[in-house]
Amino acid sequence: MDLKDQLKNLFPDHEPSPEEAIEQVAHELYVQKEPMICKFEKRKGKATTIIEGYEGTDEDFKILAKEIKTKLSVGGTFKDDSIIIQGDYRDKIMTILKEKGFKVKRVGG
């Protein structure tokens, strides 16, 4: 007996209402004119890639950080208006950002 049958037994007079289709609008990221900075640093002896210079909202930057981390399958964080990615992925990150329409500037090495 599934859930619908159990609910019918408990509430025989109830008729389910038709479900409304909910339209989901894709979130648009703010694409800026100034280039974002993609740089390489060593922190505590480990390589990190840092992305700075986004002028949009923090929520958009967090969404962008999550997309980059999932596409590269790496760890990272969003802290102090910058995305910190574990490892040296400057080239891959720059191609991802350029595909989204951002201008990216490589700094350091």
Side-chain angles (χ1 to χ4, degrees), residues 15 17 24 27 36-37 48 54 70 75 79 85 103-104 109:
E15 292 191 23
S17 61
Q24 292 197 2
H27 186 75
M36 293 172 59
I37 297 172
T48 57
Y54 186 67
T70 54
K79 194 185 292 183
I85 303 292
K103 294 179 184 173
V104 186

Side-chain angles (χ1 to χ4, degrees), residues 16-35:
S17 61
E19 298 200 16
E20 297 178 14
I22 300 172
E23 291 183 31
Q24 292 197 2
V25 178
H27 186 75
E28 297 271 333
L29 291 174
Y30 170 73
V31 179
Q32 62 194 28
K33 294 182 180 180
E34 294 296 316

Side-chain angles (χ1 to χ4, degrees), residues 18-67:
E19 298 200 16
E20 297 178 14
I22 300 172
E23 291 183 31
Q24 292 197 2
V25 178
H27 186 75
E28 297 271 333
L29 291 174
Y30 170 73
V31 179
Q32 62 194 28
K33 294 182 180 180
E34 294 296 316
M36 293 172 59
I37 297 172
C38 185
K39 62 183 177 180
F40 171 77
E41 276 187 15
K42 279 202 168 192
R43 294 189 175 186
K44 297 181 183 175
K46 298 185 178 181
T48 57
T49 305
I50 301 170
I51 304 161
E52 297 176 331
Y54 186 67
E55 297 172 353
T57 62
D58 284 347
E59 289 300 316
D60 287 348
F61 209 33
K62 286 179 185 178
I63 291 169
L64 188 63
K66 187 170 185 171
E67 281 183 31

Side-chain angles (χ1 to χ4, degrees), residues 4-5 17 19 26 28 30 38 50 52 57 63 66 69 71 73 77-78 81 84 87-89 93-95 101:
K4 286 185 181 181
D5 294 334
S17 61
E19 298 200 16
E28 297 271 333
Y30 170 73
C38 185
I50 301 170
E52 297 176 331
T57 62
I63 291 169
K66 187 170 185 171
K69 290 189 300 185
K71 282 188 178 182
S73 300
T77 185
F78 172 80
D81 294 331
I84 302 168
D88 185 9
Y89 293 100
I93 291 172
M94 287 174 67
T95 55

